[in-house]
Amino acid sequence: MNIDPRWAWAAYAPSAAAPWNLQRVGHLYRRAAFGANWAELQAGLSSGPEKTVDALLAGGPDAEPFPPAITKANNGFQLSSWWLKRLLESKHPLREKLTLFWHNHFATSNAKVNNTGAMIGMYDLLYRQSLGNFGDMAQEITLDPAMLVWLDTVTSTRGQPNENYARELMELFTLGIGHYTEADIREAARAFTGYEIKDGRGRLNPAKHDATPKTVFGQSGNWSADDIVKACLKQPACPYFIVGKLYRYLVSEADTPSRELLAPLAEAFAGDFDIGKLVARILRSNLFFSDTVYRARVKSPVEFAVGIVHALEGRVPASALALALESLGQRLGYPPNVKGWDGGQVWLNAQTLLYRQNLALALTSTDDDRFKSRTDPAQLARSLGKVEGDQPVELFVDLFLQGDLRTGTKSQLIQFLQEARRQKRPAFWSDERVEAQPLRGLCHLVLAQPEFQLA
Amino acid sequence: MRWLPAILVGLGLVGPGRAGEPATLLQLLPKQADAALVVDRPRLLVESVAGYPVLQELTAFEAVREQLASTSSRQLRDLVRHFEKELGKPWPDLLDALAGKGACLGIRFAGDSSGVMLIVHATDEPLLKKALAVALDVIKSAPRADDAKIASAEYRGVTGYQVGPNAFVALSGPVMFLSNKREAIRAGIDLHLDGPAQSFESAGRAKAARDLLPRDPLAWFVASTERLHEQPEAKQAYEYPKGDLIQLILFQGIIDTLGKAPGVAGALTRSADGMTGTIRMPAGRQATPSGLALHYPADKSPGSLPLLEPKDVLLSTSFYLDLSRLWNDREKLLTEKTRQDLEKAEKDLGRFLGGRRLSEILAGMGTHHRVVVTHQSKPGYAKRPDQPIPAFAFVSDIRDPAYPNAMNAILRLAAFIGGAGAQFKYAEETIGEAKLITYRFPESKTVEGDGAGFRFNFSPCFGRVGDQYVVSSTVELARELIPLLNAKPGVGEAATSRLRVYGAGGATVLKAVEDQLLTQTILDRAVSADDARKEAARFIDWVRTLGSVGIEVNYSADDMRLDFHHRPARTGGGS
């Protein structure tokens, strides 16, 4: 893909060729949040791109924090459920979305940590720094209790260094493969010896630390953990590595960006490691709003489910939804390994696609005991005054797909609605149910469209 | 002239001839059925259950109201409303008119020939006909009506309908038969027209069990066990010696009784002081081979001692179990392999029992046992565990005077081995004549792997209290039990085992974990913290007023009764 970097990262301004329309508002909300509801789509449309991005960056007040009871009970399912609850109720969805990104970047699973208090501590760190400073975040994560357990730093002592953290710091957290040597890892591992958890915090125990000189990236010194993290941050590969990962998360996972394309972002990021500034520049850019990257990501299960609930303005039990998401392959706080969830097309296979359709049905049918009528499409259509004629088709297609349908699909949806309305219903059905049932079926059909799987 | 009625029926001048009205619904149930669930007065059952205070109070909960507002509940209400509108009566009156003479669900367990049949006896025959017509219209109007057309057929002048691939319905006068088997419908019609000679009732199926039922139940069931007894698995379960030690210890009494009983019956009754369910079998103590019973005394001595009910009791159980008999009669009770395993276990356990043999311990232990679980209202430590758990104690009577000393030695050895890492502090405590050996965890020391302080749920203790031996998870509970145990138990009760769960104790436990309850409520119900707090508080109050639920097992010489009681707190059932 040959894209001019100067054009790519210059601020987007609506034009006849690239107008500010429902598609672009929806695109922004899918990438920088978990999708938009009807009011957000309309507000975005009238506010314009600048103000809409500003609002997303500023966000609103934080959602309810994790209650101490989850830590006391060390209940991993409640950890996943409450995390999901925060996503469902967030007034700062961009921050939550980036917290999820960093959770997948510094992928740590409670399956091994087995300490919900430590996992919540890591969540708080990631949330606080999600739009903050990457250098500070990398330093803090190194001494984070959950990370110390997850990558065995707590068992790494002078004379018996464990290489896990040193390896993942370079390979997965800061540089990527090809930008360090095995010798760098061996030497750096000695710098990570002697760290332990005391009173719920990571700290250095000098008695177990290897204080002899080490040589990492060609520099020798009596390095400790923070020195190695600083050394990694100074490597030229580091800003490209982080910018590249954020590009795949926010812009497109359909292509591999060239070094030239990333260069303007990476060079700026190397100066201050300011994540917020980097994200803002991406979200305001020409490339972000270009057709090239439109629907160029597969929604994760969390994006898929939270997006439906948010759009339908529902309030569903987080525990029931968390359980459903497990069958789709995503349990918050429990990434499958240190590389995190693979994402992309891996999210979709014959089974998970079926499960996604079933979850969409459960959320929209109102007769699933897990969600009852808390996300009733018919109720939404009624509240927006869009129940007559083809209005429901327009509503759901605009709300969930911003009009993105293959040729002929819309007329098929209209035909479905007409036939569903004509269908004979049991004599005992109430008028309300006779009117609502076709709308619920229609909404499910819209959510079953391939386009809805894409962000 | 036997042809005359048929001609008249054919001409539509009279309905098919009927025998007299059946005395019981079992006279309309074919004798091939194995079990029947009967409600003699459906309206009384519905009103008794729906009006039961504990259940009525549930409707104040948002969670229940939401369930009642769910699509499936609304569908049911829509359906009921439709019938009310079409038939011109409110549902309680409809229930009386359409099923005023009772309803019976018959079941036949026979592999591929299995079937169920619902029999409903109306007081208002014309209205029943109209109700069926309305029901058929509802079925016809269902979305899948094209796939399932309703077919009709005549049998002995009675029109029957096939309303689904395996669903048949017919009205014979004021009686409606609904079944998944066409043959069952026909057999029911035969019984209605010809009289009950071939009925479940006339065949006397499970009659001895039926005769044990209490009077005026809200609902009752009866099941013949003839077919069950023929199953190879059942035969194996009834046989001695036994290969399954756990089954022998826990269920031998009930299995023996079932093996000798020709039927089982049960009933639900409501009285002024609560609701009672019972299961009864016409076989009792003599069902177990003489001298082999573990679960009840051979003579007429008490089956179990009174329940222990200290403050904040959550669960209390009292039962008879003679484990020394298990050892002494192992040749008769156990298969060779199980016996060898048991003997090997006795040998292997010796090293953990301070040189004593398991058989000695079992011989020294009494036959009356009690277990009690309570909320820890008086914490034994200044530090509180993150996850509080209830305190519990096991109390048994003493057969051999040497038993307490033997148990003291064994438990001290166990504490020495198991408590080494936890730095147990040993102490002795004398209360009256009782001398308890106690252990506590030092609060100033940390224990690796227990950052949450789970150990502070325990201060284990044990010792002799009068003619009982107590092992308790906390000293505080043991102290509360001592006056209860010192009080003369009086005569024991006939019931050989009993168990009671207490709402008040449950409420206290819930109160102690209220933050957990709140968190789960928020996650499960998607409500705000304030609403969850109110809901949790209301739920705890409701649990407190629940009273108690108890189970009792009674073996008399000729029958066995398993009774379940609910006693609301306001009638004195709570602690």
Side-chain angles (χ1 to χ4, degrees):
Chain A
M1 196 168 54
N2 198 7
I3 299 171
D4 174 7
R6 276 185 306 176
W7 169 85
W9 306 119
Y12 158 77
S15 64
W20 182 242
N21 55 17
L22 205 61
Q23 276 87 350
R24 286 193 166 81
V25 182
H27 169 77
L28 174 62
Y29 270 91
R30 284 196 301 278
R31 301 297 176 83
F34 297 92
N37 60 28
W38 187 252
E40 287 163 342
L41 283 174
Q42 301 308 314
L45 205 51
S46 59
S47 302
E50 234 175 284
K51 283 186 179 170
T52 309
V53 172
D54 284 347
L56 281 164
L57 284 165
D62 291 345
E64 208 174 339
F66 288 84
I70 295 178
T71 300
K72 278 168 71 177
N74 195 24
N75 188 322
F77 184 66
Q78 286 185 341
L79 165 76
S80 307
S81 303
W82 201 279
W83 192 328
L84 189 60
K85 174 184 177 309
R86 285 183 59 100
L87 303 187
L88 289 164
E89 296 172 4
S90 178
K91 299 280 184 264
H92 201 327
L94 174 60
R95 192 175 275 275
E96 289 289 359
K97 186 127 189 195
L98 286 166
T99 304
L100 208 53
F101 167 79
W102 295 116
H103 175 43
N104 202 40
H105 180 77
F106 295 111
T108 302
S109 171
N110 195 43
K112 177 174 176 181
V113 176
N114 191 27
N115 183 330
T116 53
M119 292 298 292
I120 291 168
M122 181 184 265
Y123 168 90
D124 288 340
L125 189 173
L126 298 177
Y127 184 79
R128 180 167 40 82
Q129 290 286 9
S130 59
L131 286 163
N133 184 280
F134 179 72
D136 293 346
M137 177 155 51
Q139 289 289 7
E140 285 187 53
I141 209 86
T142 301
L143 294 189
D144 180 82
M147 183 61 85
L148 288 173
V149 174
W150 171 241
L151 289 178
D152 305 306
T153 314
V154 282
T155 64
S156 183
T157 55
R158 185 179 57 204
Q160 288 182 308
N162 185 306
E163 293 179 2
N164 281 356
Y165 190 73
R167 181 177 300 281
E168 306 312 354
L169 175 70
M170 294 179 194
E171 179 184 331
L172 298 174
F173 300 164
T174 57
L175 304 176
I177 291 173
H179 300 285
Y180 56 87
T181 66
E182 284 299 309
D184 288 331
I185 289 172
R186 277 197 301 278
E187 290 287 287
R190 293 199 291 117
F192 291 112
T193 53
Y195 287 87
E196 62 185 20
I197 301 167
K198 184 87 176 172
D199 298 327
R201 300 168 71 92
R203 63 153 212 180
L204 179 66
N205 178 351
K208 293 182 178 177
H209 178 63
D210 183 344
T212 59
K214 300 109 188 165
T215 302
V216 180
F217 304 131
Q219 301 289 311
S220 296
N222 189 10
W223 312 129
S224 60
D226 58 333
D227 299 314
I228 301 299
V229 174
K230 277 182 202 160
C232 288
L233 295 170
K234 279 184 190 162
Q235 297 302 303
C238 179
Y240 281 91
F241 183 68
I242 300 303
V243 168
K245 278 193 88 168
L246 269 167
Y247 177 94
R248 280 188 287 279
Y249 192 66
L250 293 174
V251 183
S252 171
E253 62 190 11
D255 61 84
T256 305
S258 66
R259 189 175 172 85
E260 291 68 37
L261 181 61
L262 297 182
L265 299 181
E267 283 163 15
F269 189 58
D272 54 13
F273 286 113
D274 187 327
I275 304 163
K277 222 159 51 175
L278 171 65
V279 169
R281 190 167 174 193
I282 292 173
L283 296 183
R284 296 185 198 282
S285 67
N286 277 322
L287 182 59
F288 180 79
F289 285 110
S290 71
D291 293 345
T292 316
V293 301
Y294 191 70
R295 294 209 188 268
R297 286 190 69 248
V298 174
K299 283 179 185 171
S300 68
V302 166
E303 290 171 307
F304 175 81
V306 175
I308 295 173
V309 177
H310 182 71
L312 290 174
E313 300 173 29
R315 195 178 168 94
V316 299
S319 53
L321 196 60
L323 204 58
L325 289 179
E326 278 190 48
S327 63
L328 295 181
Q330 194 169 26
R331 182 178 178 188
L332 296 174
Y334 290 80
N337 55 49
V338 72
K339 289 181 182 170
W341 291 281
D342 290 333
Q345 292 181 27
V346 177
W347 286 127
L348 300 178
N349 58 44
Q351 188 182 40
T352 58
L353 205 52
L354 178 66
Y355 286 171
R356 284 187 182 212
Q357 314 292 21
N358 288 344
L359 177 59
L361 179 65
L363 285 166
T364 54
S365 66
T366 73
D367 58 9
D368 185 285
D369 270 347
R370 293 170 294 171
F371 307 114
K372 301 192 178 73
S373 53
R374 287 166 173 264
T375 41
D376 184 358
Q379 170 65 29
L380 180 72
R382 268 196 297 270
S383 70
L384 294 173
K386 293 182 182 294
V387 292
E388 302 297 331
D390 300 343
Q391 285 178 330
V393 176
E394 300 291 339
L395 170 66
F396 294 133
V397 168
D398 282 350
L399 177 62
F400 291 108
L401 303 171
Q402 291 80 53
D404 297 336
L405 279 175
R406 285 149 297 152
T407 314
T409 307
K410 194 166 180 178
S411 56
Q412 286 177 329
L413 290 171
I414 291 170
Q415 195 182 345
F416 166 84
L417 182 61
Q418 288 169 347
E419 283 176 10
R421 281 170 169 160
R422 280 198 298 268
Q423 198 174 7
K424 199 173 172 187
R425 301 290 178 184
F428 64 93
W429 277 26
S430 65
D431 293 343
E432 180 270 335
R433 191 166 169 217
V434 170
E435 179 204 71
Q437 201 68 5
L439 304 191
R440 292 168 187 151
L442 170 72
C443 184
H444 178 232
L445 266 186
V446 171
L447 297 177
Q449 298 305 307
E451 290 82 357
F452 189 68
Q453 306 299 330
L454 301 175
Chain B
M1 294 293 281
R2 289 176 63 191
W3 42 266
L4 184 58
I7 291 176
L8 293 174
V9 168
L11 293 172
L13 298 177
V14 297
R18 293 177 207 158
E21 288 298 300
T24 82
L25 287 169
L26 294 187
Q27 290 185 348
L28 294 172
L29 184 65
K31 65 180 181 184
Q32 291 82 0
D34 293 305
L37 173 65
V38 181
V39 180
D40 292 312
R41 286 166 292 172
R43 180 171 176 174
L44 180 64
L45 173 68
V46 172
E47 289 180 343
S48 297
V49 172
Y52 200 56
V54 164
L55 298 179
Q56 264 194 333
E57 286 157 13
L58 270 179
T59 56
F61 288 96
E62 190 55 39
V64 176
R65 283 210 293 266
E66 189 184 32
Q67 188 59 45
L68 292 174
S70 69
T71 302
S72 49
S73 298
R74 274 188 285 127
Q75 282 173 17
L76 180 64
R77 280 202 301 278
D78 286 348
L79 187 60
V80 171
R81 257 186 231 124
H82 182 69
F83 273 87
E84 287 178 329
K85 189 177 139 203
E86 295 297 317
L87 301 179
K89 284 182 193 288
W91 71 263
D93 293 345
L94 278 182
L95 210 50
D96 269 344
L98 301 177
K101 291 185 178 174
C104 166
L105 183 72
I107 306 166
R108 175 176 159 84
F109 306 102
D112 292 342
S113 305
S114 295
V116 292
M117 180 157 76
L118 178 68
I119 305 165
V120 179
H121 196 170
T123 54
D124 186 336
E125 186 177 331
L127 196 69
L128 183 64
K129 274 186 186 159
K130 194 173 174 189
L132 178 62
V134 172
L136 293 174
D137 282 344
V138 166
I139 294 168
K140 282 179 199 163
S141 68
R144 282 181 290 176
D146 291 345
D147 304 327
K149 287 200 172 112
I150 294 174
S152 64
E154 294 276 318
Y155 177 70
R156 299 186 63 188
V158 174
T159 306
Y161 303 90
Q162 181 170 3
V163 294
N166 291 301
F168 304 88
V169 63
L171 289 190
S172 179
V175 180
M176 182 178 77
F177 297 97
L178 177 65
S179 176
N180 63 336
K181 298 282 182 191
R182 194 192 308 268
E183 304 75 37
I185 299 271
R186 289 181 174 172
I189 293 169
D190 287 342
L191 289 171
H192 189 229
L193 298 181
D194 302 338
Q198 300 298 313
S199 70
F200 191 94
E201 167 80 17
S202 300
R205 302 204 65 190
K207 183 170 185 315
R210 268 187 281 152
D211 290 344
L212 295 173
L213 287 172
R215 295 185 60 179
D216 296 326
L218 293 170
W220 53 278
F221 80 88
V222 61
S224 164
T225 48
E226 290 163 29
R227 209 185 298 277
L228 173 72
H229 294 334
E230 290 165 10
Q231 304 302 311
E233 295 85 357
K235 283 181 181 167
Q236 194 182 356
Y238 305 148
E239 277 173 1
Y240 280 88
K242 307 276 189 192
D244 186 337
L245 197 59
I246 302 298
Q247 178 189 303
L248 178 69
I249 292 173
L250 296 180
F251 306 115
Q252 176 220 344
I254 288 177
I255 291 172
D256 285 348
T257 309
L258 183 65
K260 290 286 189 294
V264 182
L268 179 71
T269 54
R270 185 176 172 185
S271 57
D273 66 344
M275 198 79 89
T276 301
T278 185
I279 296 172
R280 298 179 179 183
M281 289 189 268
R285 292 179 180 226
Q286 80 280 52
T288 298
S290 179
L292 292 187
L294 305 180
H295 297 79
Y296 39 83
D299 56 22
K300 291 184 178 175
S301 57
S304 61
L305 297 177
L307 293 171
L308 292 167
E309 296 178 316
K311 185 174 179 294
D312 290 334
V313 59
L314 178 62
L315 178 148
S316 187
T317 180
S318 175
F319 55 95
Y320 182 96
L321 183 64
D322 190 350
L323 287 172
S324 75
R325 188 178 289 276
L326 177 71
W327 180 262
N328 295 336
D329 292 338
R330 62 189 183 281
E331 298 279 340
K332 296 176 195 164
L333 287 170
L334 302 173
T335 57
E336 189 177 349
K337 172 155 188 336
T338 309
R339 195 170 63 244
Q340 285 170 352
D341 289 346
L342 186 66
E343 286 165 357
K344 182 173 182 301
E346 195 210 22
K347 205 172 162 187
D348 294 345
L349 277 172
R351 76 188 77 155
F352 302 107
L353 299 179
R356 289 167 183 82
R357 300 180 76 86
L358 178 65
S359 53
E360 288 174 40
I361 304 299
L362 296 180
M365 179 189 272
T367 53
H368 296 89
H369 314 279
R370 287 176 282 184
V371 175
V372 62
V373 181
T374 70
H375 171 63
Q376 299 199 42
S377 49
K378 292 178 192 162
Y381 296 92
K383 283 191 176 172
R384 300 299 296 141
D386 280 355
Q387 277 296 290
I389 62 164
F392 50 90
F394 175 72
V395 181
S396 61
D397 56 6
I398 297 165
R399 182 155 33 196
D400 178 354
Y403 173 74
N405 284 340
M407 282 303 292
N408 284 351
I410 291 165
L411 292 173
R412 286 181 68 166
L413 179 64
F416 177 75
I417 296 168
Q423 300 165 314
F424 261 166
K425 279 169 70 178
Y426 168 90
E428 288 187 6
E429 184 170 329
T430 303
I431 302 173
E433 291 180 6
K435 190 174 173 186
L436 296 176
I437 294 167
T438 71
Y439 292 88
R440 280 189 184 279
F441 296 98
E443 294 189 65
S444 56
K445 295 186 176 161
T446 55
V447 172
E448 199 172 336
D450 188 29
F454 189 72
R455 64 190 178 283
F456 297 125
N457 281 302
F458 302 95
S459 52
C461 72
F462 46 86
R464 176 181 191 149
V465 181
D467 59 353
Q468 307 281 307
Y469 190 80
V470 179
V471 181
S472 174
S473 71
T474 70
V475 178
E476 291 70 29
L477 174 57
R479 285 179 193 145
E480 284 196 50
L481 290 178
I482 286 172
L484 299 176
L485 293 169
N486 281 335
K488 274 288 169 202
V491 290
E493 312 274 340
T496 54
S497 64
R498 67 190 56 212
L499 179 144
R500 190 158 281 274
V501 181
Y502 303 82
T508 318
V509 171
L510 286 173
K511 187 75 188 161
V513 292
E514 195 172 6
D515 55 347
Q516 290 291 326
L517 196 60
L518 269 175
T519 301
Q520 203 56 51
T521 303
I522 292 169
L523 291 174
D524 288 347
R525 308 241 12 270
V527 290
S528 69
D530 276 350
D531 288 344
R533 200 166 286 114
K534 286 177 200 157
E535 187 100 328
R538 195 182 296 134
F539 179 68
I540 292 170
D541 284 345
W542 178 77
V543 171
R544 187 172 288 115
T545 62
L546 266 182
S548 64
V549 176
I551 303 173
E552 283 189 6
V553 181
N554 269 289
Y555 290 94
S556 69
D558 301 318
D559 63 60
M560 195 218 78
R561 297 173 184 217
L562 178 64
D563 293 334
F564 306 84
H565 308 281
H566 172 247
R567 302 279 178 264
R570 60 184 67 81
T571 61
S575 57

